[in-house]
Amino acid sequence: MNHHALPHTAHASLTTMPTAPASTAEMLERLDALLPGVEERAARLDGEGGLPVEEVAALGAAGLLVAPLPAALGGLGWGSEPGGTKPLMRALRRIGRASLPLGRLFEGHVNALRLVAAYGTPEQVEEAAADARAGRLFGVWAAEVPGRGLVLEEDMRRLSGGKIWCSGAGLVERALVPAQAPDGVRMLLLPLPRGTGRADLSVWTASGMRASATGDMDFSGMELSPGALIGPPGAYFAQPGFSGGAWRFLAVHLGGIEAVVEALRHHLTATGRGGDPHQQARLGQALAGAEAARLWVGEAARMAEGPEAGASGDGEAAARVVAYVDLARGAVERAGLAAMELAQRSIGLGAFLRPAPVERIARDLATYLRQPGPDRALTSAAQHALAAAAPVGDLWGR
């Protein structure tokens, strides 16, 4: 038996599931049934640099691509309504544990539908809902090269420029992108039929997240369809949603952290090294870090999606939410880095050799943890604390 291989269900597959409306409990059961197959295929996709086409199709067949829609549109409100926060966190965490690249794609899908639901017209929201029901994957792409970013030209009808590091390029069929327009930064929802040739996946040479279908997108010359503009100028950067929404990718990170710690636990059990007190101490530290990350993400989600975050005109409340989620970013990053170091020290050279699952998971997690502006997030939270009058224990208004 390979001592580094995580146990999985034999012959696990991504089965086709019904798309009928489901309760939250049933939807989570459908997801759990898919995940052994997702985990089993993760190593092969990483080795091939392949696209998770089957995985995305399975999420659609199970109804998971519809779950982020508001209940009135047949969804479960995952990411679009407060009642969907806890199950969404569980879903993101569980998908991330099985496959960080797939977790990244699902998180982007949730984010895009959330923004359309929040800022779109009824007609735009209904059209997006129909696309989700048809199994189309949505994504949010914002990164760009300075001076070569996406621009909506003066006629407000044609685009120039593009985006970089677009997760799901070639798989995403509905891309929500911010673009510089004559009246400010505007959100656009762009249809992207597969095979248009606008995606360049060859530029993605990262060591991890190889199966995230990441690449650059060139939108030059694309003409906007009616209804492509979503919301007013500046809506994309509205707080606390813009920064507070980071809790969702933190939930995916959390799944990756748990996968690393699980790999360490399995290694110690399978090799009979669990009785060593030094190994026990390292596992204990890793378990503590994973649990701390879970608590941080749970509280960040509660604050970001709670009534305080949506309070109209309450800038102080919004700033408090953003500061807390910024702190959570730092805490989860440290937990992830610590988990990888502890696992690699305990397992030794085997943690760096394929096909050990921990080797791939650590590469994916190390890459995914590189979110933009980590120093800015931490100093922003510190500035909030310095300006506040409340004691440290009461800064977050519990």
Side-chain angles (χ1 to χ4, degrees):
M1 179 178 182
N2 184 340
H3 289 165
H4 302 301
L6 290 176
H8 56 69
T9 303
H11 308 298
S13 62
L14 302 178
T15 56
T16 300
M17 291 191 167
T19 57
S23 67
T24 288
E26 183 181 355
M27 190 64 73
L28 291 171
E29 288 176 1
R30 292 181 186 180
L31 173 61
D32 288 346
L34 289 175
L35 292 179
V38 169
E39 184 175 352
E40 185 174 320
R41 283 170 50 84
R44 181 160 67 81
L45 285 174
D46 174 78
E48 299 171 351
L51 307 183
V53 177
E54 186 177 343
E55 286 76 0
V56 171
L59 292 180
L64 284 150
L65 298 184
V66 178
L69 295 171
L73 292 170
L76 296 171
W78 291 7
S80 56
E81 296 174 336
T85 302
K86 286 185 177 180
L88 174 60
M89 177 178 163
R90 176 178 168 180
L92 291 168
R93 172 172 154 253
R94 293 298 300 275
I95 297 173
R97 190 189 304 173
S99 168
L100 283 166
L102 186 63
R104 170 68 189 96
L105 298 185
F106 185 65
E107 190 277 326
H109 177 83
V110 172
N111 192 18
L113 286 180
R114 179 190 71 86
L115 289 167
V116 174
Y119 294 106
T121 66
E123 293 76 16
Q124 289 171 323
V125 176
E126 179 54 52
E127 184 176 354
D131 285 333
R133 287 192 289 266
R136 294 188 175 95
L137 182 67
F138 285 64
V140 178
W141 298 333
E144 57 188 32
V145 176
R148 291 186 292 160
L150 190 61
V151 175
L152 181 56
E153 296 180 355
E154 291 291 335
D155 60 5
M156 300 287 282
R157 295 177 57 187
R158 187 181 297 270
L159 294 171
S160 62
K163 297 290 182 180
I164 62 173
W165 301 338
C166 304
S167 296
L171 287 178
V172 165
E173 296 183 79
R174 298 291 183 270
L176 193 145
V177 294
Q180 185 62 53
D183 58 352
V185 176
R186 301 295 297 265
M187 278 193 296
L188 310 175
L189 186 60
L190 305 178
L192 295 173
R194 294 186 186 180
T196 58
R198 293 185 177 273
D200 180 7
L201 274 62
S202 68
V203 298
W204 184 245
T205 58
S207 62
M209 300 294 281
R210 286 168 48 82
S212 62
T214 298
D216 293 355
M217 293 292 298
D218 181 8
F219 294 105
S220 295
M222 178 181 285
E223 293 189 359
L224 297 188
S225 58
L229 287 170
I230 304 292
Y236 179 76
F237 296 107
Q239 297 287 21
F242 177 69
S243 297
W247 78 264
R248 290 185 298 274
F249 69 68
L250 295 182
V252 186
H253 292 174
L254 172 60
I257 293 169
E258 291 175 347
V260 169
V261 179
E262 184 63 48
L264 170 57
R265 181 173 71 161
H266 176 71
H267 169 81
L268 295 178
T269 301
T271 59
R273 299 172 65 194
D276 185 301
H278 302 290
Q279 298 285 28
Q280 291 174 354
R282 280 193 283 263
L283 178 60
Q285 292 178 56
L287 289 167
E291 178 62 9
R294 187 188 67 82
L295 294 171
W296 270 104
V297 176
E299 184 65 6
R302 186 197 68 78
M303 291 184 66
E305 304 297 335
E308 183 179 83
S312 178
D314 192 344
E316 181 179 346
R320 186 162 55 244
V321 169
V322 170
Y324 190 89
V325 177
D326 281 344
L327 282 183
R329 285 185 55 181
V332 172
E333 179 191 21
R334 293 309 310 167
L337 295 172
M340 288 186 288
E341 180 184 8
L342 290 163
Q344 289 164 349
R345 286 178 64 84
S346 287
I347 297 171
L349 182 59
F352 297 88
L353 300 178
R354 298 173 184 171
V358 71
E359 184 274 336
R360 167 182 50 81
I361 297 166
R363 276 190 290 108
D364 285 346
L365 182 58
T367 302
Y368 196 5
L369 284 174
R370 292 304 106 222
Q371 294 295 320
D375 296 328
R376 179 213 55 78
L378 204 57
T379 57
S380 175
Q383 290 165 10
H384 176 83
L386 289 168
V392 167
D394 300 325
L395 281 173
W396 317 115
R398 296 187 184 88

